[in-house]
């Protein structure tokens, strides 16, 4: 393919490349320059990320790029440089793109809400595989990814709650886009829920990082994702204590609770479930082999 390219900007060094692109702009040149800048900024997978930014910004597919079926706009939109610079400052790609995928469904994301993680699909898949009733409560819902994907894929009647109004606004947008008709409440864990409500299933991915560990996280997480969605207080277990204590009052007889946990929190969280009277307490790993989800059944009603 390189034989079909004229004296390409790709063959020049970085400085002249920018100048050359004034006269002869190609997607290859934009891609090469983006990759170079991302590498310099220390972004892992710079090549892949350059491609995501390029394909999303210019709405160009892999085949169109490879076969040169789409020509570059004569004026490169300012948005391209802006987006590239945001990523070079290590803002997460998903905030820049504004959307991500969870359980095969599209979810809007933006600063102020935790970006859905693939690890969390372990929790959603476990709920889908279990025999449960239909009333589901998703606490610390964030973008709504767990509760709304379960509503869509498992036919659950979902109630979502989050302390962050900003997160809840994103969850509401996702609720509308997915057509899921979940009910949303702004409040601390169970605080804003209708009194007397009972659920078959409670799910939560609460903040669980130990406060002292937060500074050691990768820049994208540490500097851009909401602390409030990450910080599980001194030992990381604050919200599991509250959840295991408070959940029984909100569960129907035989109701279940599923929580995401940090890789090193399995035994401690299993113990909290058992101490609060949950039975059939089980731990599951994510695809990377790390402990990731604890589930318990509440029968002592
Ligand atoms: N899984 C997230 C991370 O590793 C943490 C999410 C949470 O605290 N609930 O950054």
């Amino acid at each position: 393919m390189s034989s079909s390219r004229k004296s390409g900007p790709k063959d020049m060094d970085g400085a002249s490349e920018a100048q050359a692109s004034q006269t002869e702009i190609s997607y290859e040149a934009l891609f090469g320059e983006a990759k170079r800048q991302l590498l310099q900024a220390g972004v892992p997978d710079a090549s892949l990320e350059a491609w995501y930014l390029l394909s999303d910004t210019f709405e160009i597919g892999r085949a169109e790029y490879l076969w040169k079926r789409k020509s570059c706009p004569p004026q490169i939109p300012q948005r391209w440089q802006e987006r590239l610079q945001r990523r070079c400052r290590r803002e997460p790609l998903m905030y820049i793109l504004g959307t991500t995928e969870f359980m095969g469904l599209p979810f809007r994301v933006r600063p102020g809400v935790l970006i859905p993680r693939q690890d969390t699909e372990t929790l959603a898949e476990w709920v889908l595989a279990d025999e449960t009733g239909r009333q589901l409560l998703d606490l610390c819902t964030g973008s709504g990814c767990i509760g709304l994907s379960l509503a869509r894929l498992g036919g659950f009647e979902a109630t979502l709650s989050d302390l962050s109004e900003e997160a809840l606004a994103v969850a509401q947008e996702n609720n509308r886009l997915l057509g899921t008709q979940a009910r949303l409440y702004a409040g601390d864990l169970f605080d804003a829920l209708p009194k007397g409500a009972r659920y078959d299933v409670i799910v939560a991915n609460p903040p669980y990082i130990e406060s002292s560990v937060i500074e050691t996280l990768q820049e994208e997480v540490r500097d851009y994702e909401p602390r409030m969605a990450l910080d599980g207080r001194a030992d990381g277990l604050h919200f599991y204590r509250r959840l295991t204590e408070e959940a029984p009052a909100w569960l129907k007889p035989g109701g279940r609770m599923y929580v995401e946990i940090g890789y090193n929190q399995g035994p401690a969280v299993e113990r909290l479930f058992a101490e609060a009277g949950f039975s059939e307490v089980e731990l599951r790993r994510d695809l990377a082999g790390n402990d990731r989800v604890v589930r318990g059944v509440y029968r002592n009603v």
Side-chain angles (χ1 to χ4, degrees):
M1 257 207 311
S2 56
S3 60
S4 70
R5 205 162 15 88
K6 291 161 237 151
S7 61
K10 213 177 183 176
D11 305 324
M12 303 174 190
D13 64 42
S16 54
E17 187 172 296
Q19 276 183 342
S21 67
Q22 297 295 315
T23 49
E24 188 195 346
I25 305 166
S26 70
Y27 285 120
E28 286 93 335
L30 290 178
F31 173 79
E33 176 62 13
K35 183 179 162 185
R36 192 185 63 75
Q37 288 189 28
L38 292 170
L39 270 174
Q40 200 167 38
V43 172
D45 297 323
S47 188
L48 195 60
E49 297 230 3
W51 170 250
Y52 283 137
L53 281 171
L54 187 82
S55 64
D56 189 83
T57 307
F58 296 97
E59 294 174 16
I60 180 172
R62 196 79 200 151
E64 288 171 310
Y65 176 84
L66 290 172
W67 299 101
K68 305 191 195 322
R69 289 283 160 75
K70 192 172 173 179
S71 49
C72 240
Q75 281 298 93
I76 297 302
Q78 208 181 337
R79 184 160 174 263
W80 166 246
Q81 278 305 329
E82 282 166 6
R83 291 179 119 197
L84 182 56
Q85 276 157 24
R86 283 171 71 185
R87 190 65 193 98
C88 285
R89 289 192 295 267
R90 305 300 293 271
E91 182 170 344
L93 179 70
M94 300 318 177
Y95 284 157
I96 300 167
L97 301 182
T99 174
T100 190
E101 217 178 77
F102 184 82
M103 296 296 283
L105 298 168
F107 281 87
R108 287 251 170 107
V109 288
R110 58 170 172 259
V113 70
L114 191 84
I115 298 165
R117 311 289 206 259
Q118 202 188 351
D119 299 336
T120 307
E121 293 182 352
T122 307
L123 190 162
E125 276 161 6
W126 196 353
V127 177
L128 286 176
D130 274 357
E131 285 287 321
T132 68
R134 299 290 91 182
Q135 310 290 327
L136 177 133
L137 172 63
D138 179 9
L139 298 171
C140 312
T141 193
S143 64
C145 66
I146 304 176
L148 298 178
S149 65
L150 289 170
R152 261 294 279 266
L153 305 173
F156 287 93
E157 278 180 43
T159 299
L160 316 179
S161 147
D162 204 292
L163 182 54
S164 160
E165 302 263 3
E166 236 179 319
L168 215 59
V170 176
Q172 181 60 70
E173 264 177 65
N174 285 321
N175 190 29
R176 188 168 45 77
L177 292 168
L178 294 167
T180 34
Q181 293 168 352
R183 271 164 287 214
L184 284 78
Y185 296 92
D188 191 19
L189 294 188
F190 302 91
D191 282 1
L193 302 174
K195 298 287 163 263
R198 292 288 181 279
Y199 303 93
D200 299 294
V201 182
I202 295 175
V203 296
N205 176 15
Y208 59 69
I209 312 278
E210 294 167 42
S211 303
S212 62
V213 170
I214 291 188
E215 287 310 315
T216 70
L217 299 176
Q218 69 184 79
E219 288 158 81
E220 281 83 352
V221 182
R222 185 192 65 205
D223 297 343
Y224 289 95
E225 294 203 86
R227 287 284 154 121
M228 186 178 159
L230 298 168
D231 193 338
R233 313 281 169 93
D235 68 354
L237 300 173
H238 173 80
F239 291 95
Y240 304 116
R241 286 194 195 88
R242 291 189 53 197
L243 284 166
T244 50
E245 267 166 38
E246 296 175 38
W250 298 89
L251 282 170
K252 293 185 194 174
R256 293 149 186 263
M257 180 158 74
Y258 303 73
V259 297
E260 177 169 322
I261 58 162
Y263 69 96
N264 56 354
Q265 295 173 325
V269 175
E270 282 187 298
R271 204 173 316 121
L272 287 170
F273 268 68
E275 283 167 8
F278 284 85
S279 54
E280 293 153 72
V281 179
E282 274 182 49
L283 179 61
R284 278 207 190 161
R285 294 184 172 171
D286 59 26
L287 291 175
N290 293 315
D291 287 351
R292 189 58 63 200
V293 186
V294 171
R295 184 215 62 191
V297 185
Y298 200 77
R299 300 197 187 280
N300 315 352
V301 183

